[in-house]
Amino acid sequence: MIRYRPRTGDRFNVSTRQNPANFTALLSFKRVPDGELVFFKIDGQRFEHERTVKFHTSTTYTVEVAFRPAQVLESFSINGFDMTMEEKETDHEAKNSAFEGPWVTENYEVSQKSERQSIILEFQVKNKGYFKSTLQCKFYDKEDKEHGGWGDSFKCLEYECHANESRTEVEISKQTFH
C-alpha cells in the first residue's frame, strides 16, 4: 500500500475530516516482477504538462489506487481499457483502502525524440462519482534501461478530490507528484 503520510496541519487533511465529500486518491505504478518504481522527469513548459512519466513498452506494471479515507473503487481504466482492479487492503482503523491490478504496455509504441504521449486515467468511486486525469508519458523500448531508468522516482501521484453534491462527478482540486 502507498505509505505517503501528509504533514501535520496540512490544509486538505483538515478539510477532509470536516467534509465527507473530500478524499485523497493516490496512484502508483511498479514494474513486474521486480517491483521497481517508475521514473519521471521535469520537462518544464516544453510540453502540455511539466512532468513526464517514463514507461517501457511490452512491460507489465502493477497499478495501485489507494484512498484516504477508505473508498471503494468501482472501476478504473487506462486509455479506455477497463482494468481488473482487486481490493488489496482496507485498514478501517487507519481509514485507508487500496486496489491494484496489472497493466501491460504491449500495445504502446516507443516514443520518438521530443515526443510525449498522454494516457487517460478514469476512476469511478462508489458514492463519490467519476473523475478523469491525463498523465503525460514517454515510452521507451523494453531493453532501454539507460533512458527509461533515470530521473526522479515516481512514488505516487496524489489527487485531492471533492465529490459534487449529486455524487456523480469528482473535482480534482490539486495534483502532486511524490
Side-chain angles (χ1 to χ4, degrees), residues 11-22:
R11 175 192 57 81
F12 179 72
N13 290 323
V14 171
S15 65
T16 298
R17 283 186 222 110
Q18 296 172 352
N19 187 341
N22 293 347

Side-chain angles (χ1 to χ4, degrees), residues 5 12-13 18 67 79 94 99 106 129 167:
R5 300 257 188 239
F12 179 72
N13 290 323
Q18 296 172 352
F67 296 102
N79 279 347
F99 300 82
E106 65 186 25
R167 300 292 202 254

Side-chain angles (χ1 to χ4, degrees), residues 21 23 74-75 122-132 162-172:
F23 64 96
E74 291 186 319
S75 67
E122 298 176 279
F123 305 76
Q124 180 68 42
V125 182
K126 185 175 184 175
N127 298 324
K128 298 293 185 199
Y130 165 85
F131 69 99
K132 178 166 78 170
H162 178 80
N164 67 4
E165 281 187 32
S166 65
R167 300 292 202 254
T168 56
E169 293 184 7
V170 173
E171 174 188 322
I172 300 171

Side-chain angles (χ1 to χ4, degrees), residues 13-166:
N13 290 323
V14 171
S15 65
T16 298
R17 283 186 222 110
Q18 296 172 352
N19 187 341
N22 293 347
F23 64 96
T24 300
L26 304 164
L27 172 72
S28 68
F29 296 88
K30 291 183 182 165
R31 200 171 52 230
V32 174
D34 57 16
E36 289 290 319
L37 295 173
V38 297
F39 295 93
F40 73 91
K41 66 180 190 170
I42 299 173
D43 285 322
Q45 302 299 319
R46 298 185 313 144
F47 301 99
E48 185 177 346
H49 301 281
E50 287 187 14
R51 290 174 176 80
T52 299
V53 180
K54 298 177 169 191
F55 293 109
H56 288 94
T57 59
S58 301
T59 302
T60 301
Y61 293 91
T62 297
V63 180
E64 182 178 301
V65 178
F67 296 102
R68 287 189 321 258
Q71 305 294 324
V72 175
L73 182 66
E74 291 186 319
S75 67
F76 176 74
S77 68
I78 297 179
N79 279 347
F81 293 99
D82 291 333
M83 305 277 298
T84 301
M85 302 292 283
E86 296 187 11
E87 188 169 7
K88 176 181 173 183
E89 181 176 349
T90 297
D91 184 339
H92 296 288
E93 188 175 311
K95 298 185 171 123
N96 296 327
S97 61
F99 300 82
E100 69 178 13
W103 176 49
V104 182
T105 58
E106 65 186 25
N107 295 323
Y108 292 85
E109 295 184 16
V110 173
S111 304
Q112 299 301 311
K113 184 176 181 177
S114 299
E115 177 185 86
R116 301 294 181 268
Q117 298 178 39
S118 293
I119 59 172
I120 309 297
L121 309 167
E122 298 176 279
F123 305 76
Q124 180 68 42
V125 182
K126 185 175 184 175
N127 298 324
K128 298 293 185 199
Y130 165 85
F131 69 99
K132 178 166 78 170
S133 175
T134 302
L135 193 60
Q136 181 171 281
C137 305
K138 185 159 185 166
F139 289 89
Y140 295 90
D141 185 87
K142 182 178 185 173
E143 305 303 322
D144 185 350
K145 305 299 182 208
E146 182 180 343
H147 295 98
W150 66 268
D152 294 310
S153 292
F154 177 62
K155 295 173 187 75
C156 69
L157 180 56
E158 178 180 9
Y159 299 99
E160 293 180 6
C161 302
H162 178 80
N164 67 4
E165 281 187 32
S166 65

